[in-house]
Amino acid sequence: MLKSMTGFGRAEQAIGKKTFLVEIKSLNGKQFEISLKMPSLLRPYEFDIRNMLSENLLRGSIDCMITLKQNGAARPVVINTELAKAYYQSLAELAENLNLDTGSILSSLLKLPEVVVPSTEVLDEDDWKGFQQVMLSAIKNINAHRINEGAVLEKDLTQRIDNIREQQKKVIELEPLRQQKIREGLEKLLEDNVGKDNFDSNRLEQEMIYYIEKIDITEEQVRLKNHCDYFQSLLRENSEAKGKKLSFILQEIGREINTTGAKAYDATIQKCVVLMKDELEKAKEQVLNVL
């Protein structure tokens, strides 16, 4: 099972006289980063909310927005009545001295500093427990979205590795022909330049064995197969966060493909190497989204 870092979750529920709306969006990221926006009512619980997100989402760039909707007699703000009265007396006297209409004093009064202040109301323990369930519902929804996205990623990554395997089969089939072509090419080169009877065939055989061993790609193909097997077995594992491991394995796969290309000295094998590199780059792009 594979999980994507990309997802969206939403949950809304009324708790007492309040309705909480939680929306969580996640994108891919190397580390775990949280952008949290919430009403002041929840500030005392910010650390707990962040812990809930980190424990359940593990990795990615997280944007969490919590919105509070007040119901019934709830008071989102508090009016400082005594201060408002003091402001009013001064404003009324000023308006009278300037012969101005006092009808618009109230709207001006509400804009003055400290007249309207945020509510100092705090969330009680029962409401906090209820809110936790809203958070968990939103987290559950985003994780379900992540699993759906992960299934698409898993299918694509499996196909990319299968395509690399297909090209590798062609390389293995071409390997004996490549060695024969190299041997024949060197013999012809010597015959054309020094003559067939002017070199030691035994010494040539020794040098040929040494040279062919230097450009042999058998070990690279064994390691490449093992890396591909490990990659696909890791895809099927039940662990959640494995994007970094998959990325490391792709690096190893790339190393074996590059070495194969460097040793190939064969146009057909080089073509297979180019196709393998193309599939590898596509796989690397997809792994960036894996949790």
Side-chain angles (χ1 to χ4, degrees):
M1 181 188 71
L2 210 60
K3 252 187 186 180
S4 171
M5 275 190 279
T6 304
F8 178 77
R10 184 180 187 275
E12 184 174 2
Q13 184 179 328
I15 301 171
K17 296 178 180 179
K18 306 170 187 66
T19 298
F20 287 99
L21 169 63
V22 179
E23 294 178 309
I24 308 172
K25 179 176 70 175
S26 69
L27 299 172
N28 62 346
K30 290 184 178 180
Q31 305 299 327
F32 186 75
E33 298 177 353
I34 303 177
S35 172
L36 181 59
K37 297 177 183 177
M38 60 184 179
S40 57
L41 187 70
L42 288 168
R43 287 295 173 193
Y45 301 99
E46 180 176 354
F47 184 74
D48 299 283
I49 293 170
R50 288 181 178 273
N51 275 346
M52 290 175 70
L53 291 168
S54 62
E55 288 171 4
N56 289 281
L57 299 181
L58 302 178
R59 190 168 167 236
S61 180
I62 311 299
D63 186 1
C64 178
M65 179 176 288
I66 303 169
T67 307
L68 171 64
K69 301 177 182 178
Q70 295 285 354
N71 303 325
R75 300 175 64 195
V77 295
V78 173
I79 297 177
N80 190 334
T81 308
E82 294 303 318
L83 181 62
K85 287 179 180 179
Y87 278 138
Y88 176 78
Q89 291 176 356
S90 299
L91 290 173
E93 290 176 6
L94 180 62
E96 184 178 350
N97 292 335
L98 298 175
N99 295 319
L100 297 176
D101 182 17
T102 59
S104 60
I105 287 181
L106 180 60
S107 61
S108 301
L109 192 63
L110 294 175
K111 296 176 184 178
L112 292 173
E114 306 299 327
V115 173
V116 179
V117 295
S119 173
T120 55
E121 182 184 8
V122 295
L123 208 62
D124 62 37
E125 191 63 28
D126 289 338
D127 286 352
W128 164 241
K129 289 179 180 177
F131 172 76
Q132 285 178 295
Q133 296 307 309
V134 185
M135 277 294 300
L136 291 174
S137 293
I139 289 170
K140 181 180 178 181
N141 291 336
I142 190 174
N143 275 329
H145 191 176
R146 281 177 154 194
I147 290 171
N148 291 337
E149 291 288 320
V152 176
L153 289 175
E154 183 173 350
K155 183 178 179 181
D156 186 80
L157 287 169
T158 300
Q159 184 61 55
R160 299 300 170 198
I161 299 300
D162 284 342
N163 291 343
I164 290 174
R165 287 182 187 276
E166 285 300 315
Q167 296 304 319
Q168 186 189 17
K169 287 178 184 177
K170 294 179 182 179
V171 170
I172 293 171
E173 290 171 2
L174 291 166
E175 171 64 2
L177 298 174
R178 177 187 76 116
Q179 292 187 12
Q180 185 61 33
K181 279 194 282 186
I182 290 171
R183 181 185 294 272
E184 291 173 354
L186 289 173
E187 288 177 349
K188 186 175 186 305
L189 185 64
L190 285 170
E191 289 175 6
D192 292 345
N193 287 276
V194 299
K196 186 174 182 180
D197 300 324
N198 295 329
F199 60 85
D200 185 344
S201 59
N202 291 328
R203 179 63 185 273
L204 173 63
E205 187 65 26
Q206 291 175 1
E207 294 294 334
M208 196 83 75
I209 291 170
Y210 174 77
Y211 178 69
I212 288 176
E213 283 180 349
K214 291 285 286 184
I215 62 171
D216 182 65
I217 57 174
T218 304
E219 290 185 10
E220 284 75 13
Q221 300 318 300
V222 171
R223 288 195 293 266
L224 178 56
K225 180 183 181 301
N226 289 339
H227 293 326
C228 289
D229 288 343
Y230 183 34
F231 186 91
Q232 291 188 320
S233 68
L234 188 59
L235 284 180
R236 294 188 292 269
E237 284 184 7
N238 205 29
S239 58
E240 284 197 338
K242 46 193 173 184
K244 289 183 179 180
K245 282 185 181 179
L246 292 172
S247 181
F248 294 148
I249 300 170
L250 287 180
Q251 289 179 26
E252 295 302 314
I253 289 174
R255 186 172 288 112
E256 303 307 332
I257 292 173
N258 287 334
T259 307
T260 299
K263 288 183 174 184
Y265 297 105
D266 182 274
T268 310
I269 291 180
Q270 289 286 6
K271 182 179 178 182
C272 294
V273 167
V274 169
L275 292 173
M276 283 194 280
K277 285 184 176 181
D278 182 50
E279 295 297 329
L280 179 66
E281 289 305 311
K282 291 174 182 176
K284 285 181 176 179
E285 289 178 9
Q286 294 289 44
V287 162
L288 292 175
N289 295 311
V290 177
L291 183 65

